[in-house]
Amino acid sequence: MAIQDTHEEWQVVETATPFTGNKTSVRTDRVVMPDGSTVTRDYQVHPGSVAVLALDEAGRVLVLRQYRHPVRHKLWEIPAGLLDVPGENPLHAAQRELYEEAHVKAEDWRVLTDVFTTPGGCDEAVRIFLARGLSEAEGERFEVAEEEADMELARVPLEELVRGVLAGELHNNCLVVGALSLQAVLSGAGGVETLRPAEAPWPARPFEA
């Protein structure tokens, strides 16, 4: 049996947006259930995100440590950011985030995996890229502010990240999914060559290549 998620959309008989923020909003839908009843579903509407697992020639992953107020933690993460423009090419967004957060560029890009981060309460979709062939970007560093002004950068062996994930020491969604996915790729037949190209279709956030 093939295991594959499928698109399906149940009827919405009423919808409202009780809150609109700077980047996201909250929507309330009345949804028809299979038995004909209706229920209310509240969820965050999100533009989508990209993340980059940047791997250097020594097998180290570029990570950053940043304060995340909702969970009251400083988390080790991989570079990531929002799709700022509807229909934006996710590869271009990922390249921008790697430059802005780490002042790094990469020669080889592939899609590592696509995920819905919290599908029970948010429609956010994230595309996680694998970036290799790293080098320092040209020009001046991007000026950071707010939480990013306190950001720390490091390069950590992939094996150490996997250990930290399984030990319950690392919690960022994109780092966890990215590190475990890459470990699986590297231990499987075909390795990185089995990954999708960097501009593979992404039905959750369609774009023009």
Side-chain angles (χ1 to χ4, degrees):
M1 180 179 66
I3 302 296
Q4 182 176 340
D5 296 334
T6 57
H7 177 77
E8 185 168 336
E9 191 165 346
W10 292 1
Q11 182 184 5
V12 175
V13 295
E14 184 180 350
T15 188
T17 305
F19 171 79
T20 300
N22 185 33
K23 296 291 186 180
T24 67
S25 61
V26 173
R27 184 173 296 162
T28 298
D29 288 345
R30 293 283 296 174
V31 185
V32 179
M33 297 289 104
D35 65 0
S37 64
T38 60
V39 299
T40 300
R41 292 289 180 262
D42 301 317
Y43 58 99
Q44 183 183 22
V45 178
H46 194 285
S49 306
V50 292
V52 185
L53 195 149
L55 185 71
D56 69 15
E57 293 180 355
R60 301 174 302 173
V61 176
L62 194 157
V63 292
L64 50 91
R65 190 169 182 241
Q66 186 173 348
Y67 176 66
R68 294 301 187 182
H69 186 71
V71 296
R72 308 304 199 270
H73 271 70
K74 271 194 170 183
L75 299 178
W76 284 104
E77 308 178 350
I78 57 177
L82 299 176
L83 292 170
D84 291 334
V85 180
E88 181 179 15
N89 187 313
L91 173 60
H92 299 166
Q95 292 169 333
R96 178 185 69 237
E97 293 300 327
L98 185 61
Y99 163 73
E100 291 182 356
E101 295 191 347
H103 200 66
V104 166
K105 63 181 181 179
E107 296 300 322
D108 184 73
W109 290 83
R110 299 167 193 267
V111 175
L112 187 54
T113 190
D114 300 324
V115 295
F116 293 120
T117 55
T118 49
C122 180
D123 70 353
E124 181 183 15
V126 180
R127 169 157 281 188
I128 303 175
F129 290 90
L130 172 64
R132 300 184 300 165
L134 308 184
S135 61
E136 186 172 356
E138 295 88 0
E140 296 183 3
R141 286 186 173 272
F142 182 79
E143 185 175 348
V144 296
E146 300 175 349
E147 291 94 342
E148 292 183 351
D150 189 46
M151 200 161 55
E152 305 170 46
L153 292 173
R155 295 194 183 199
V156 179
L158 175 63
E159 293 78 7
E160 177 60 18
L161 293 181
V162 172
R163 185 209 61 78
V165 168
L166 299 179
E169 299 167 358
L170 299 171
H171 307 89
N172 174 263
N173 182 288
C174 292
L175 184 150
V176 170
V177 173
L180 296 183
S181 296
L182 181 57
Q183 181 79 345
V185 168
L186 295 178
S187 62
V192 171
E193 300 306 317
T194 64
L195 292 173
R196 288 171 289 162
E199 295 192 293
W202 189 17
R205 292 294 185 274
F207 65 94
E208 290 189 9

